[in-house]
Amino acid sequence: RCVLETGFYKVNYLQLHLTDDQLFSWPSRAYPKLHDERSGWTWDAFVELEAYSQARGVTIIPEIDVPGHSTILRKRYPEVFGNNPTELATLPGALVGMKALIDELLSVFAATPYVHIGGDEAYGVPGDVQRDFVNSLSRHVVANGRRAIVWEGPRLGEGEHKVDTNVLHMNWRTIDF
């Protein structure tokens, strides 16, 4: 059980990295085969965590890390998310699936001003493809009144393939800019 001791640590944001190649912790209702019982989290537990965090002034930032950390998405629903990260970033059905997952997150984490969509370590995905994918997801997040966050992933780019300026970047290497 997660306990938020905000007074002691002076934490007012908590980012939940809900997906990775090894575990998918989000209990999706749209794509139930994604969820792994090993995560220990249920839909109701996340609802309870959101209420608990809001009562203590903590904003939860949910993260589904794509296209790089998408092994489970692709293994369990290849017909939706494709067979590799580039397909996930280009298939129209994958974009529909990602929007459905984001909508689920927002239905539980209603107070968050942010949705983290990943973007890092998308090896083999061409930069323009990745930037276009980030922008597509960002537009959906913005249409829902939130702001998208990405890890330091693709270079910012130029022209029509530039990452939207409203996307917030979390950088740790700073070599890609």
Side-chain angles (χ1 to χ4, degrees), residues 33-80:
K33 292 188 295 186
L34 293 174
H35 185 246
D36 195 313
E37 296 298 323
R38 294 178 300 144
S39 74
W41 288 93
T42 65
W43 186 281
D44 290 340
F46 280 120
V47 168
E48 182 182 323
L49 180 63
E50 172 72 352
Y52 186 88
S53 70
Q54 288 304 294
R56 286 151 183 82
V58 175
T59 299
I60 294 177
I61 302 170
E63 177 189 354
I64 293 183
D65 197 346
V66 289
H69 294 267
S70 60
T71 299
I72 292 176
L73 284 164
R74 294 179 287 105
K75 274 187 170 179
R76 297 192 183 157
Y77 288 96
E79 69 280 8
V80 176

Side-chain angles (χ1 to χ4, degrees), residues 6-142:
T6 59
F8 183 78
Y9 293 107
K10 297 183 180 12
V11 173
N12 58 0
Y13 288 95
L14 173 66
Q15 182 167 319
L16 297 180
H17 186 74
L18 298 170
T19 64
D20 216 322
D21 287 322
Q22 300 81 17
L23 189 69
F24 200 95
S25 297
W26 179 249
S28 174
R29 292 179 171 170
Y31 300 101
K33 292 188 295 186
L34 293 174
H35 185 246
D36 195 313
E37 296 298 323
R38 294 178 300 144
S39 74
W41 288 93
T42 65
W43 186 281
D44 290 340
F46 280 120
V47 168
E48 182 182 323
L49 180 63
E50 172 72 352
Y52 186 88
S53 70
Q54 288 304 294
R56 286 151 183 82
V58 175
T59 299
I60 294 177
I61 302 170
E63 177 189 354
I64 293 183
D65 197 346
V66 289
H69 294 267
S70 60
T71 299
I72 292 176
L73 284 164
R74 294 179 287 105
K75 274 187 170 179
R76 297 192 183 157
Y77 288 96
E79 69 280 8
V80 176
F81 299 105
N83 294 302
N84 58 59
T86 300
E87 286 184 6
L88 189 147
T90 57
L91 291 173
L95 184 59
V96 170
M98 289 309 306
K99 288 177 179 180
L101 291 170
I102 289 169
D103 291 346
E104 287 183 335
L105 292 175
L106 293 176
S107 73
V108 171
F109 302 107
T112 188
Y114 305 106
V115 174
H116 202 299
I117 55 177
D120 67 321
E121 301 174 338
Y123 305 118
V125 179
D128 285 349
V129 168
Q130 189 175 358
R131 284 185 285 274
D132 291 347
F133 182 64
V134 163
N135 287 340
S136 293
L137 292 181
S138 175
R139 283 190 293 276
H140 184 71
V141 169
V142 168

